[in-house]
Amino acid sequence: MDKITNEMILQAIKELADQLKNHTEGTNKRFEQIDQRFEQIDQRFEQIEQKIEQMNKQLTDVANGQKILVEELFDNKKEIKRIKTVLNMY
């Protein structure tokens, strides 16, 4: 009787060990999937950051171009005023 009880206990322990092993493997796979999802999210944010940096550069280029145009316009107005002054003298 003791032998049967011991065998039953050993069998139960083996089954529990197998269940624990399977559960651990399943948990590890789920964590791997979660890690992959986080990596995908990180990649998306990197792409968004790159697009924002590109947009910032383009906006800076536009602002610099506008500044140059304003300066040229101001210089042109000064030149027109100088020419008008010269023409009015004659």
Side-chain angles (χ1 to χ4, degrees):
M1 182 79 172
D2 287 337
K3 187 177 181 181
I4 295 174
T5 305
N6 286 342
E7 287 178 12
M8 290 175 63
I9 291 171
L10 284 175
Q11 183 62 33
I13 290 172
K14 287 179 185 178
E15 289 176 13
L16 288 173
D18 287 343
Q19 289 177 9
L20 181 61
K21 181 182 174 186
N22 291 338
H23 180 73
T24 302
E25 289 174 358
T27 301
N28 288 342
K29 286 180 184 177
R30 282 186 235 130
F31 274 114
E32 287 175 14
Q33 291 172 346
I34 290 170
D35 284 344
Q36 289 174 353
R37 289 180 188 151
F38 276 117
E39 287 177 15
Q40 291 172 350
I41 291 169
D42 285 346
Q43 290 173 355
R44 289 182 196 153
F45 277 115
E46 286 176 13
Q47 291 172 352
I48 289 172
E49 288 173 355
Q50 289 172 356
K51 288 179 183 178
I52 290 172
E53 287 176 13
Q54 184 180 18
M55 289 172 55
N56 282 341
K57 184 184 179 306
Q58 291 172 342
L59 288 173
T60 300
D61 290 347
V62 168
N64 289 338
Q66 287 178 335
K67 181 180 176 186
I68 291 169
L69 289 174
V70 167
E71 290 171 354
E72 288 181 8
L73 179 63
F74 180 73
D75 290 343
N76 287 345
K77 284 187 174 187
K78 282 184 3 185
E79 184 67 19
I80 290 171
K81 184 177 180 180
R82 187 187 68 77
I83 291 172
K84 282 183 178 180
T85 303
V86 168
L87 290 175
N88 284 337
M89 294 176 87
Y90 297 105

